[in-house]
Amino acid sequence: MLEQRIRELEAAFLARISSAQSSEELEAARLAAFGRKDGAFNQISKEMPRLEPEERKRVGMLLNSAKQSLERALEARKEREAEAALEARLDGEWIDLTLPASGARRGHLHPITQIQRELEDLFVSLGFTVLDGPEVETEYHNFDALNIPPDHPARDMQDTFWLEGGNLLRTHTSPVQIRGMERLGPPLRMIAPGRAFRNEAVDASHEHTFYQLEGMMVDRDVSVAHLLYFMKTLLTAVFGREVTVRLRPGYFPFVEPGFELDIRCLICGGDGCAVCKQSGWVELLPCGLVNPNVLRMSGIDPEEWNGFAFGLGLTRLVMMRYGIDDIRWLQSGDLRFLEQF
Ligand code: PHE
């Protein structure tokens, strides 16, 4: 009787397992067969104790082999289910090796670097050498050798970041003039682009860190006419058009005479704005003839040699060229700003 039921159950469950449509149906079949409480085979086990020992042994063996064959069938079905699931997933994924690659995102040079390189090329074509100097300078190169002795009021014009040991962050690129004269001697044509630092309150037109391009020419019989020729060539190259300029007397201890070359503000066209401080003009190019004291201190005889020097504000120049109305954008690191150049 029991043996008959076991064979029927085995056949029924094998059929159920092989026809299951999903892993849920498979699990339901497993519980119906082997579940602890209501599993069909558990019911049979409960009836075993009342059998004669001989019969119990036969029934037990049959029960075990039926269970094992069902477990094997379940295991096989589960493996096939897993394989089918994997295949379905792979069918949904694909890769097309013939598609063009998406290009790498490339950066570009900062607008100040771009303008600096343009000017380097221009001045090299005019016979100038490009020099580099340290940003941490000695007091001597930044001030004394430029005819600015310790108690000179001009020191107050430039709020200085002093460092330990008497050194400082250079307040302008002019100390490279001194280094150029020391190293190369006359005749000399040099430019020196680089950063300068001033301990200033930051606003739309002032930064603690900004870029200048220093220039110097020392030769025989250099005049203001030479200076003006080079300055006009420079400005035409930068703006690619005529800009309105004016020359004012300007005071710098290292030049005599000294000038401020201003350009009509290109942001507002001269009407007045934050960048030109409502004046319509922007100071762009302080310059002048080299003060004889400066030549003498660097070992050059002012009876034989003279020269001109200028200190172009590169940061201002970029602002004028692109119509940027706040200097703080330039070092903001904001990609929305930088991606426009
Ligand atoms: N070094 C001066 C400054 O930054 C500018 C300057 C340079 C003026 C060369 C005259 C000649 O203020």
Side-chain angles (χ1 to χ4, degrees), residues 158 172 174 177 198 212 214 252 254-255 286-287 309-311:
Q158 304 184 347
H172 48 183
S174 298
Q177 287 183 25
R198 286 185 202 174
Q212 290 188 329
E214 194 78 13
F252 301 93
F254 35 98
V255 286
C287 53
F310 61 90

Side-chain angles (χ1 to χ4, degrees), residues 37-105:
K37 255 172 66 198
D38 311 318
F41 287 97
N42 244 10
Q43 299 301 324
I44 289 180
S45 300
K46 280 181 194 154
E47 293 175 34
M48 301 265 294
R50 62 172 175 80
L51 298 178
E52 295 299 320
E54 267 305 302
E55 199 185 1
R56 197 189 308 156
K57 202 176 156 194
R58 266 190 293 114
V59 171
M61 276 165 63
L62 186 64
L63 189 60
N64 276 341
S65 89
K67 280 179 170 178
Q68 280 168 12
S69 90
L70 286 180
E71 268 159 12
R72 276 196 303 274
L74 274 170
E75 209 43 52
R77 269 303 305 264
K78 271 191 199 156
E79 265 172 39
R80 265 187 286 134
E81 287 286 319
E83 273 169 27
L86 181 64
E87 257 169 48
R89 214 190 77 210
L90 290 181
D91 278 347
E93 283 176 8
W94 54 275
I95 182 166
D96 184 348
L97 295 173
T98 67
L99 281 178
S102 57
R105 266 168 65 88

Side-chain angles (χ1 to χ4, degrees), residues 263-276:
I263 67 166
R264 165 122 327 130
C265 182
L266 295 172
I267 306 282
C268 62
D271 295 339
C273 66
V275 172
C276 62

Side-chain angles (χ1 to χ4, degrees), residues 25-281:
E25 278 185 44
L26 213 53
E27 178 61 9
R30 191 188 66 81
L31 281 175
F34 299 125
R36 280 225 169 164
K37 255 172 66 198
D38 311 318
F41 287 97
N42 244 10
Q43 299 301 324
I44 289 180
S45 300
K46 280 181 194 154
E47 293 175 34
M48 301 265 294
R50 62 172 175 80
L51 298 178
E52 295 299 320
E54 267 305 302
E55 199 185 1
R56 197 189 308 156
K57 202 176 156 194
R58 266 190 293 114
V59 171
M61 276 165 63
L62 186 64
L63 189 60
N64 276 341
S65 89
K67 280 179 170 178
Q68 280 168 12
S69 90
L70 286 180
E71 268 159 12
R72 276 196 303 274
L74 274 170
E75 209 43 52
R77 269 303 305 264
K78 271 191 199 156
E79 265 172 39
R80 265 187 286 134
E81 287 286 319
E83 273 169 27
L86 181 64
E87 257 169 48
R89 214 190 77 210
L90 290 181
D91 278 347
E93 283 176 8
W94 54 275
I95 182 166
D96 184 348
L97 295 173
T98 67
L99 281 178
S102 57
R105 266 168 65 88
R106 287 175 65 190
H108 63 73
L109 296 177
H110 192 280
I112 293 182
T113 310
Q114 291 177 27
I115 219 166
Q116 176 184 323
R117 297 212 174 162
E118 276 174 39
L119 289 173
E120 286 174 7
D121 288 347
L122 172 74
F123 277 100
V124 165
S125 79
L126 294 170
F128 284 67
T129 305
V130 181
L131 292 185
D132 208 1
E135 293 178 339
V136 172
E137 261 297 2
T138 64
E139 193 176 350
Y140 173 78
H141 287 91
N142 195 82
F143 290 124
D144 301 80
L146 287 161
N147 202 29
I148 316 175
D151 52 356
H152 198 287
R155 287 210 179 184
D156 300 336
M157 286 161 54
Q158 304 184 347
D159 305 294
T160 307
F161 286 112
W162 289 96
L163 305 175
E164 280 168 26
N167 287 339
L168 45 81
L169 291 182
R170 66 179 181 196
T171 58
H172 48 183
T173 44
S174 298
V176 193
Q177 287 183 25
I178 308 302
R179 294 183 178 276
M181 288 187 286
E182 287 173 351
R183 251 189 36 212
L184 303 171
L188 173 67
R189 290 183 192 197
M190 54 147 281
I191 57 164
R195 292 198 295 183
F197 310 86
R198 286 185 202 174
N199 193 354
E200 281 188 290
V202 171
D203 63 26
S205 51
H206 293 93
E207 261 282 20
H208 47 72
T209 303
F210 53 95
Y211 287 76
Q212 290 188 329
L213 184 133
E214 194 78 13
M216 182 183 227
M217 173 166 163
V218 179
D219 211 314
R220 296 186 169 90
D221 303 319
V222 176
S223 71
V224 174
H226 294 113
L227 170 63
L228 279 177
Y229 166 77
F230 281 104
M231 298 305 95
K232 279 187 185 155
T233 307
L234 184 168
L235 291 173
T236 311
V238 169
F239 293 106
R241 59 179 154 133
E242 286 288 311
V243 288
T244 313
V245 301
R246 73 177 184 188
L247 210 56
R248 285 183 291 129
Y251 175 68
F252 301 93
F254 35 98
V255 286
E256 181 59 39
F259 305 106
E260 286 284 5
L261 195 153
D262 302 341
I263 67 166
R264 165 122 327 130
C265 182
L266 295 172
I267 306 282
C268 62
D271 295 339
C273 66
V275 172
C276 62
K277 298 195 209 95
Q278 312 306 328
S279 73
W281 295 91

